[in-house]
Amino acid sequence: MNDIIILEYFTSKSNIALENKKIFSEAVGLIENIIKSFLLNKNVNKVFFVQNSKLDILNHKKLFKIYTNKNNSVVSILKNLPRKNVVFIAPEIMNISLNFQKKISKFLPLRHSDIEINETFSSKERTIQFLKKNCINHIGKAKKFKGKFVVKPIYGAGSSAVRISKKYSFRKTEIIQDYMTGIKGSFSMLCNNKKFVLISCNKQIVKIFDDNIIQKGIIVGGLENERSEIKSLAKKICNVTEGFFGLIGVDIIKQNRKWHVLEINPRFTSSYNGILECYGKRTIHQITNLYLTKNLILDEPKLLKTKKIIFS
């Protein structure tokens, strides 16, 4: 039997009064599904969950909650937790994920990709450099100075602060890319170093409002007809990457009949909210088993149904 500690950045904060309601709602939904997944695994003994005392998140005989509040910070809790493996989730915005990983690793062992992985893929600048160096199809920096462009923060998550510009103009904290049309998607893969299993192939629902690109939702399993090509891309990424562990989310776009990488997120992503319903308990066990035992089951997931998830 195994114990695991689950820690999510927003829900574990000691002060949550000023949090963005949309981001916070998404964080709660994701963390609840992650906890439920581990509770489904018969090899789990205890799940420790660090959360703010104001929150009401699940109850289960195997779920042990440790509360943060204005007098009890995450750091003080980390110092006193049992020495169990930690699964953590945090966004790339403002380098939060990287700093959170460094903080946790001072006190407890992590079941997560290496810190060098987080350093590379938290930055869109470094991600582009990595993909270019390893000859992986990707959308790099703008190749022209006239036309339509997409401007993104170097350290950002999802579609946050992503905008369209008709001028070749950007800040030092941003990158600029050529605007591309095409099918937008994502995939999640389960990795242990250079071994992987392609878990889900998803279609993203993207809208443009006042020149802002906003991801409105996702169809989990919506790109299963592209699994063969996506799997080939996943293999290329894994073959050149040391230090992947656990779920890895990759955003992609189809351009000139080929899939290109937009960004790589070494963490649980929003598509996880549909994995149980779309791919079943066997796939959920496959995922949680890796985090609990470091044993990667190489079975290919089978799609049961697709699911449209609209973000609040």
Side-chain angles (χ1 to χ4, degrees), residues 52-95:
N52 186 278
S53 59
K54 294 180 180 179
L55 297 176
D56 182 20
I57 298 179
L58 301 179
N59 287 293
H60 193 277
K61 63 182 180 181
K62 289 186 177 182
L63 181 61
F64 295 81
K65 300 179 182 180
I66 305 97
Y67 295 104
T68 61
N69 52 52
K70 61 182 181 180
N71 299 314
N72 198 22
S73 69
V74 171
V75 171
S76 63
I77 286 173
L78 289 174
K79 291 177 180 178
N80 296 297
L81 281 173
R83 193 166 177 78
K84 307 294 182 181
N85 293 306
V86 177
V87 174
F88 86 91
I89 307 95
E92 291 76 23
I93 297 170
M94 297 184 295
N95 245 339

Side-chain angles (χ1 to χ4, degrees), residues 17 106 265 277 290 292 304:
K106 289 179 181 178
N265 302 301
E277 190 173 341
L290 177 63
L292 293 170
L304 304 176

Side-chain angles (χ1 to χ4, degrees), residues 245-263:
F245 182 86
L247 274 173
I248 311 294
V250 183
D251 287 348
I252 53 178
I253 188 169
K254 196 163 193 179
Q255 190 73 23
N256 298 323
R257 298 183 180 181
K258 291 183 179 180
W259 286 105
H260 293 70
V261 176
L262 290 168
E263 60 183 81

Side-chain angles (χ1 to χ4, degrees), residues 162-166 207-214:
V162 177
R163 70 183 192 278
I164 294 173
S165 175
K166 293 179 181 178
K207 302 291 182 184
I208 298 174
F209 294 102
D210 297 326
D211 288 334
N212 293 307
I213 299 176
I214 300 172

Side-chain angles (χ1 to χ4, degrees), residues 253-305:
I253 188 169
K254 196 163 193 179
Q255 190 73 23
N256 298 323
R257 298 183 180 181
K258 291 183 179 180
W259 286 105
H260 293 70
V261 176
L262 290 168
E263 60 183 81
I264 298 174
N265 302 301
R267 56 173 171 82
F268 287 81
T269 62
S270 56
S271 66
Y272 191 77
N273 290 328
I275 297 296
L276 176 59
E277 190 173 341
C278 297
Y279 292 91
K281 289 183 179 179
R282 189 172 180 177
T283 300
I284 290 294
H285 175 81
Q286 198 171 2
I287 294 166
T288 56
N289 182 72
L290 177 63
Y291 284 100
L292 293 170
T293 69
K294 299 184 80 172
N295 177 37
L296 179 60
I297 300 169
L298 295 173
D299 295 347
E300 189 87 2
K302 301 296 182 185
L303 181 69
L304 304 176
K305 58 179 288 189

